[in-house]
Amino acid sequence: KQEVTQIPAALSVPEGENLVLNCSFTDSAIYNLQWFRQDPGKGLTSLLLIQSSQREQTSGRLNASLDKSSGRSTLYIAASQPGDSATYLCAVHPPEGYNKLIFGAGTRLAVHP
Amino acid sequence: DTGVSQNPRHKITKRGQNVTFRCDPISEHNRLYWYRQTLGQGPEFLTYFQNEAQLEKSRLLSDRFSAERPKGSFSTLEIQRTEQGDSAMYLCASSNLGVNTGELFFGEGSRLTVL
């Protein structure tokens, strides 16, 4: 059974720091991996999607990497800002396709001025 | 706005009542998903539709839960005889089968509180 773990569960950093959020999954046979952002009481916003054949994706100050063989993904946020404060969730698609996602519990990020 | 739309955003009900949530997916998306999220946890898959066909249901979806997508467009999720344990955020997502990345786009969610 696929399990997704995110470490740390919570993180508080001063504005301007570069930071790394970690995601690990137990079964390396995945279709793709998707990172989301969730603001309190809101839905999920897709940040980056990495297909199983790719090793990384970049969007602005965000960079996500994927190492399928070790079952790990990282989300790198450069020059963090207070507006980055949110919960960040990673999710994997099982190999049989994109019929459902399996999520981690998320990392709650607070960036203080 | 052409994103995924969910209504109502908040619902407070008494135990034993029935509630219904509606989801309008992105217009060209043929796959629609329902997830449930409890406080401090990631979303859990409930069910998904391809066009009007319900193709998979999670064991989390008890007999009190029913989902429909009658014309392959909007979907409804009904919970009968609600229990306090049903209190959660119910999230809808959609994707386009023709796009092979499988990227899901989520709505703002419908928060249910059962008293």
Side-chain angles (χ1 to χ4, degrees):
Chain A
K1 177 188 172 187
Q2 178 73 273
E3 293 183 358
V4 180
T5 303
Q6 292 189 245
I7 295 173
L11 185 63
S12 181
V13 300
E15 181 177 6
E17 272 204 9
N18 302 324
L19 52 98
V20 175
L21 308 182
N22 297 293
C23 172
S24 62
F25 44 95
T26 54
D27 186 347
S28 62
I30 63 171
Y31 184 75
N32 60 29
L33 184 144
Q34 200 167 350
W35 281 94
F36 294 89
R37 168 185 173 139
Q38 186 174 32
D39 293 294
K42 302 287 189 179
L44 277 64
T45 300
S46 179
L47 296 174
L48 290 164
L49 180 143
I50 310 176
Q51 297 183 65
S52 60
S53 58
Q54 298 174 325
R55 293 193 63 85
E56 67 177 322
Q57 282 287 335
T58 298
S59 176
R61 295 182 294 107
L62 306 179
N63 175 275
S65 67
L66 174 63
D67 184 343
K68 275 185 54 178
S69 61
S70 66
R72 294 180 181 180
S73 177
T74 61
L75 179 67
Y76 175 82
I77 303 177
S80 57
Q81 303 170 358
D84 295 330
S85 298
T87 295
Y88 291 81
L89 296 152
C90 78
V92 299
H93 282 130
E96 58 268 27
Y98 36 84
N99 54 331
K100 61 185 177 185
L101 288 170
I102 301 169
F103 282 85
T107 294
R108 190 169 66 254
L109 173 66
V111 181
H112 49 86
Chain B
D1 185 90
T2 56
V4 178
S5 176
Q6 292 189 244
N7 288 287
R9 292 291 313 282
H10 304 276
K11 180 70 176 179
I12 300 174
T13 191
K14 293 182 179 179
R15 185 167 52 93
Q17 298 295 305
N18 299 342
V19 296
T20 299
F21 301 114
R22 175 178 170 131
C23 172
D24 288 89
I26 294 172
S27 59
E28 64 269 25
H29 285 185
N30 42 27
R31 285 195 169 189
L32 185 147
Y33 310 78
W34 285 99
Y35 285 77
R36 181 171 68 187
Q37 185 179 28
T38 54
L39 200 61
Q41 300 299 315
E44 294 176 292
F45 171 80
L46 292 178
T47 188
Y48 92 100
F49 294 83
Q50 182 168 310
N51 300 314
E52 66 276 8
Q54 188 173 19
L55 297 186
E56 186 171 348
K57 292 194 296 184
S58 163
R59 285 175 290 179
L60 294 175
L61 215 63
S62 76
D63 291 344
R64 296 184 297 104
F65 288 70
S66 63
E68 294 182 342
R69 194 183 183 196
K71 297 182 179 179
S73 56
F74 73 91
S75 175
T76 58
L77 176 68
E78 181 183 17
I79 309 174
Q80 295 182 326
R81 305 181 303 283
T82 53
E83 303 173 354
Q84 288 185 326
D86 297 332
S87 296
M89 174 79 89
Y90 290 86
L91 293 160
C92 177
S94 68
S95 69
N96 188 342
L97 179 60
V99 177
N100 63 5
T101 62
E103 187 171 7
L104 265 66
F105 297 87
F106 281 80
E108 289 293 319
S110 293
R111 178 168 296 283
L112 173 64
T113 300
V114 182
L115 302 175

